[in-house]
Amino acid sequence: EAMSFYSRVHVLCSLSLTHAFSAPFLAGKGKLFNSRSMKRLGLRARQMFVVPRRQALSALGWSLALGSSVAHVTGATCEDEITKLTPQEVKEWGSKGWSPGDVVDSHIHVWGDGQQPFPYVSAPPDALVSACDAEKFISTARKQGVSGALIVQPINYKFDHSYVTSVLRKYPNFYRGMALADPSVSPEDIPKYLDELQRDGYIALRFNPYLWSGSMADETGKVMYKEAGKRGMTVGVMCFKGLGQHMEDIKTLLEYGPNTKLVIDHWGFYRQPATGGTDPNTKVSEEAWKQLLSLSQYAQVYVKLSALFRVSGETEPYTDLRPRVLEAVQHFGSNRLLWGSDYPFALVNGGYCSSVASLKTWKESLGLTDEQYKDICGNTAINLFQSISCPQ
């Protein structure tokens, strides 16, 4: 009952879309509901809600936004974990640099409240609007002993990087930045485009294939990928709808720019849809998992063991992921694996603390060596996302 309007709408949309827009899903005349989905969520008929058509369609659009990361909500709220620090405490922890042996979160998103000077392109779910600015993450991170994080440009701002840039300038020791690649940049303008991103402090680039009108391995994609590697910028790939449909593009990029380091987000999303494993409609694709492991043949490929709640079929501590962690270590080696939370979406899917706590069980439960464990916790991220020289 604590679920926000946008969270409910997203879950209902996800369930209904899985059934190919089946008849029980109705949107019209001011109502949006699905009694079968309501029942699965444990919501009684009297809890069905009425919303204006415009709001309903807006929420549906956000939940299906190109690679949006809304997940099946498990009940925790953002406020459960926010620990307020004094401005001085935030400043002190936020000035902390990354050091070998630290826990570093390789995948977070932060944003403001959508007001000027950083308006949204598309708004996040209500529950997350005020939960996850840069200072709130620092408070949460300190509570869990996390020493730094890579900020991945959120879809809320699309190609407007001004909010994240302001954060990188304010906390250059604590945060690193991964920009969102703009497929509309012409191949001849890519050097200038990457120059500007580097000057703003970005050391990595995210390829979201759903922002391309066609293949992300088109001329712009190939040139941008190769040029990023020349500059020491790592490229991340977000296969939100499954790794399989993007394998050919990924191999093309790997072969075109063999010196560029590539990171596969969120275990390659081998569980689909990517709304979270506790969603009863999600299924594991063993074929997708094998495809992910096959990429270990490329020495420049890394994998984020991130967003545990998206790929596990259980709640924390996500014990069903442990055999897959071992398989990943066997294929890639621990020095090509890195943990990440997918904050702030982790807040409403078990909690940020559960992601960190689950990570901390891996050493003993999996028999990892101290070196392997430290690689996954942060050393791989430190090596991969270390600061690089910006163009003058």
Side-chain angles (χ1 to χ4, degrees):
E1 295 189 29
M3 291 169 66
S4 71
F5 159 72
Y6 276 85
S7 298
R8 291 192 186 193
V9 169
H10 171 75
V11 176
L12 298 185
C13 291
S14 298
L15 291 171
S16 298
L17 287 169
T18 304
H19 292 286
F21 294 94
S22 56
F25 184 79
L26 303 175
K29 297 185 179 180
K31 295 185 178 181
L32 175 64
F33 57 87
N34 180 334
S35 57
R36 182 179 299 175
S37 298
M38 286 286 192
K39 185 176 181 180
R40 287 176 182 163
L41 288 170
L43 301 173
R44 295 179 294 277
R46 65 179 178 80
Q47 292 175 288
M48 295 201 307
F49 51 92
V50 177
V51 297
R53 176 193 291 265
R54 182 175 299 177
Q55 282 184 279
L57 294 178
S58 172
L60 174 59
W62 203 95
S63 71
L64 298 178
L66 302 166
S68 104
S69 302
V70 183
H72 183 73
V73 175
T74 59
T77 63
C78 308
E79 289 74 18
D80 291 341
E81 290 197 73
I82 294 173
T83 302
K84 290 185 177 180
L85 299 182
T86 66
Q88 182 59 31
E89 288 174 322
V90 169
K91 183 178 179 180
E92 289 174 359
W93 196 255
S95 64
K96 181 177 174 57
W98 299 10
S99 301
D102 285 349
V103 177
V104 174
D105 194 332
S106 73
H107 198 104
I108 74 163
H109 308 282
V110 292
W111 51 73
D113 60 8
Q115 303 304 308
Q116 293 293 346
F118 308 115
Y120 298 138
V121 173
S122 56
D126 284 356
L128 297 178
V129 168
S130 60
C132 51
D133 63 25
E135 286 72 26
K136 285 173 181 170
F137 178 78
I138 290 174
S139 296
T140 302
R142 194 181 91 154
K143 181 180 178 182
Q144 301 302 326
V146 175
S147 299
L150 177 76
I151 301 176
V152 180
Q153 169 73 0
I155 197 68
N156 318 21
Y157 295 124
K158 207 168 182 181
F159 305 123
D160 179 359
H161 290 76
S162 55
Y163 176 76
V164 174
T165 299
S166 72
V167 172
L168 297 178
R169 289 174 178 168
K170 190 173 182 180
Y171 303 105
N173 295 325
F174 188 86
Y175 289 120
R176 304 286 188 272
M178 175 177 274
L180 181 61
D182 184 350
S184 69
V185 178
S186 63
E188 58 270 22
D189 288 336
I190 285 173
K192 179 182 177 182
Y193 169 70
L194 295 180
D195 280 350
E196 292 172 351
L197 288 176
Q198 285 189 274
R199 287 194 187 99
D200 285 338
Y202 294 90
I203 61 171
L205 198 60
R206 187 184 216 193
F207 275 34
N208 180 337
Y210 314 106
L211 296 177
W212 263 263
S213 58
S215 166
M216 68 175 171
D218 62 8
E219 193 62 22
T220 288
K222 289 190 295 184
V223 173
M224 191 179 297
Y225 181 84
K226 188 172 184 176
E227 186 67 25
K230 289 179 181 179
R231 297 155 178 267
M233 298 178 76
T234 298
V235 173
V237 178
M238 196 270 288
C239 303
F240 191 77
K241 297 179 183 178
L243 181 63
Q245 60 184 281
H246 305 295
M247 280 292 287
E248 289 307 311
D249 281 357
I250 289 171
K251 289 179 179 179
T252 297
L253 293 173
L254 288 168
E255 292 163 8
Y256 189 82
N259 295 321
T260 303
K261 293 178 179 177
L262 181 143
V263 182
I264 302 293
D265 287 351
H266 302 343
W267 314 67
F269 291 95
Y270 67 83
R271 180 183 287 273
Q272 286 291 312
T275 49
T278 57
D279 182 335
N281 290 288
T282 65
K283 292 183 180 180
V284 166
S285 168
E286 293 298 341
E287 179 60 28
W289 178 248
K290 290 177 183 177
Q291 289 174 327
L292 177 67
L293 297 180
S294 74
L295 291 174
S296 64
Q297 66 184 292
Y298 298 94
Q300 69 271 41
V301 174
Y302 295 69
V303 177
K304 285 185 182 179
L305 305 181
S306 48
L308 310 186
F309 63 89
R310 291 192 186 280
V311 290
S312 173
E314 304 173 0
T315 56
E316 65 280 359
Y318 312 112
T319 57
D320 60 333
L321 296 181
R322 292 174 181 174
R324 296 191 189 272
V325 174
L326 284 179
E327 274 195 276
V329 170
Q330 291 165 1
H331 283 76
F332 289 92
S334 60
N335 63 336
R336 289 199 280 154
L337 302 174
L338 50 166
W339 167 81
S341 67
D342 199 17
Y343 175 96
F345 301 102
L347 287 174
V348 289
N349 287 275
Y352 188 77
C353 61
S354 71
S355 183
V356 178
S358 298
L359 166 69
K360 292 179 177 178
T361 68
W362 287 356
K363 182 179 180 180
E364 183 176 345
S365 65
L366 300 179
L368 298 177
T369 67
D370 190 57
E371 180 181 7
Q372 289 173 327
Y373 177 66
K374 287 182 177 179
D375 282 345
I376 296 170
C377 283
N379 284 354
T380 302
I382 291 170
N383 293 331
L384 197 57
F385 302 119
Q386 59 187 321
S387 297
I388 55 179
S389 298
C390 296
Q392 301 301 314

